Amino acid sequence: MFLRVKARTRVLPGHRPISRLPPFLNTKCRVYSSKQSSNVEPNRQEHQEDEPRFKYPEETLGIPAEYGFGYYQGGPGRRLGLKGRYEIRQKLGHGSTSSVWLAKDRSKNTFHALKILSGFATELNVEHKLQELDVHQRLGKAEKDRRCVTSTDHFFEAGIDEDDGPHLCLVQNPTRCDLYEVIKTLPKGTTFPLPIIKRITKDVLSALALLHERGIAHTDLKQNNIMVALEPQFDIAQWLAENPPKAYDPVPSFKGPVVSYKSHQFPPPPFEELSNARFIVSDFRSAQILAHKSTDHITPLGLRSPEIVLGGPWDQSVDIWTLGNLVFFFLTLQDFIVKRPSPCQLGFFWPQDLRPAEIQEALEANKPIPESIDFLLYQMAAFCENPFPAELLQVCPKTAEYFDLESGRLKRFRNQFRKCG
């Protein structure tokens, strides 16, 4: 299964665009990732037989760092760091700016998670446009009971291909899995028991307390970034023996064939063990040092606080709003705030004459309804059963776009606090 990606628009929010494009990254190029189907647009006819197409089973290997990528192209058996201290044993996963590997510290005979940033992300960290390294350095070796993934070491490694650029490598203690993987194991029709939700919330608050004390906002809390700690008795060596590395078949890329490795995650703990588990906040790729913010484009849309949605000043309290949304999700396995209304909801509370044109057009054409900031703000007001504070609206640049300045009421809704059904 593959998804078309517009690689030519590879720009991280809040950062500079890529100034030059390679010959193959033009409007006719198709770059794929194995997350979804390549047949997303089966009726489109503009595909030409001679168009270059690249399909990647996982991360997009072989595209240079200067074009927004530069993923690490090594694999199991490679030794990295000073005197080859860390030997890669298995691939654990990958994300939008890095791949993560299980590595053995040959000097101490211990296992670590080695997060290897792409050449592009490494450059942004060096320029402090991304602040992941800065955040880890500020956290230092935090106390274990503070529930944050921290780096015990970091170094820069040359790329396998020089066009990938150098890679920033962060050495971290391995974790078991994220909450998203745990949720997939829940018995059908059930949610987390309340004691487990309380434990998750307590541990995440402990992590946020540490971050906020040190002038850091996480800005990207979600199920994927809350990890279950790896128990001391978990036998990593045995797990490796049972799960040897597996390489995909070579696939063509920008400069020739590339080989990607299959990600192997540690298994989620048995459900009955969650009540004694430790939960840890991870992934500071989007974290911001509050005294030196590099962007205001933070937090997934459905988890953004009102001041972020309206473009206003913000601080570490945005993490608390996001955590509140997540607690609701853990209780119900439903989002507290949804990004787009359903047709049923539209008919219930949003009169046709007040709907934005793009929403009405999608409804009439029986197409997916687009995300709506108006709807987001309406839910915030309705669920809180309170109008937006005047002092907030006065300092947010986007207030006039959505609110009547005199009354402080949303422009496109008549029943301001009618609850969403």
Side-chain angles (χ1 to χ4, degrees), residues 21 148 170 293 306 359 412:
L21 299 173
C148 277
L170 302 172
K293 297 175 185 174
I359 288 182
R412 299 185 179 95

Side-chain angles (χ1 to χ4, degrees), residues 221-242:
L221 278 178
K222 52 189 178 184
Q223 300 96 312
N224 311 68
N225 291 338
I226 301 174
M227 315 299 292
V228 181
L230 193 66
E231 309 91 331
Q233 66 270 23
F234 187 90
D235 193 334
I236 295 179
Q238 180 180 343
W239 178 83
L240 276 172
E242 296 171 353

Side-chain angles (χ1 to χ4, degrees), residues 51-69:
E51 290 176 4
R53 301 188 185 191
F54 299 112
K55 297 182 180 181
Y56 300 93
E58 295 200 16
E59 66 268 48
T60 50
L61 295 177
I63 302 180
E66 65 175 315
Y67 305 127
F69 296 88

Side-chain angles (χ1 to χ4, degrees), residues 47 63 92 104 110 160 187 231 259 271 297 309 322-323 342 366 382 394 403:
H47 295 185
I63 302 180
L92 297 176
K104 188 168 187 178
T110 54
I160 302 296
E231 309 91 331
V259 175
F271 186 74
H297 191 97
V309 173
T322 302
L323 177 58
S342 68
N366 198 28
Q394 289 170 359
F403 290 85

Side-chain angles (χ1 to χ4, degrees), residues 184-360:
K184 292 193 293 187
T185 69
L186 291 177
K188 188 175 182 180
T190 65
T191 61
F192 286 111
L194 188 58
I196 293 177
I197 296 174
K198 288 181 177 179
R199 191 174 187 91
I200 295 170
T201 305
K202 180 181 177 181
D203 286 354
V204 173
L205 283 171
S206 177
L208 292 180
L210 173 64
L211 291 169
H212 297 173
E213 285 170 8
R214 304 198 180 180
I216 301 164
H218 188 283
T219 80
D220 194 28
L221 278 178
K222 52 189 178 184
Q223 300 96 312
N224 311 68
N225 291 338
I226 301 174
M227 315 299 292
V228 181
L230 193 66
E231 309 91 331
Q233 66 270 23
F234 187 90
D235 193 334
I236 295 179
Q238 180 180 343
W239 178 83
L240 276 172
E242 296 171 353
N243 297 273
K246 294 182 179 179
Y248 294 99
D249 292 335
V251 297
S253 190
F254 181 34
K255 296 173 66 176
V258 294
V259 175
S260 180
Y261 287 86
K262 183 177 180 180
S263 296
H264 289 76
Q265 294 187 335
F266 294 122
F271 186 74
E272 59 272 13
E273 294 181 10
L274 285 176
S275 58
N276 296 318
R278 294 171 58 245
F279 299 94
I280 304 173
V281 171
S282 71
D283 193 358
F284 302 118
R285 170 177 55 91
S286 300
Q288 295 284 305
I289 295 176
L290 295 169
H292 308 285
K293 297 175 185 174
S294 62
T295 181
D296 292 324
H297 191 97
I298 60 171
T299 311
L301 181 59
L303 298 173
R304 287 179 193 163
S305 63
E307 61 267 35
I308 296 300
V309 173
L310 293 172
W314 59 273
D315 58 19
Q316 64 270 25
S317 63
V318 298
D319 290 335
I320 304 302
W321 173 276
T322 302
L323 177 58
N325 280 261
L326 290 176
V327 170
F328 180 90
F329 179 83
F330 297 146
L331 287 165
T332 65
L333 294 188
Q334 297 183 27
D335 293 328
F336 178 59
I337 302 290
V338 297
K339 295 178 287 187
R340 50 175 62 86
S342 68
C344 178
Q345 289 171 322
L346 282 174
F348 180 71
F349 67 87
W350 205 344
Q352 180 174 336
D353 61 320
L354 293 179
R355 297 173 194 162
E358 62 271 16
I359 288 182
Q360 186 60 28

Side-chain angles (χ1 to χ4, degrees), residues 4 27-28 30 38-51 53:
R4 187 180 70 173
T27 56
K28 294 185 178 181
R30 305 290 182 260
S38 59
N39 298 319
V40 173
E41 302 171 294
N43 297 323
R44 296 190 63 172
Q45 302 297 321
E46 82 277 13
H47 295 185
Q48 302 295 326
E49 292 299 324
D50 59 347
E51 290 176 4
R53 301 188 185 191

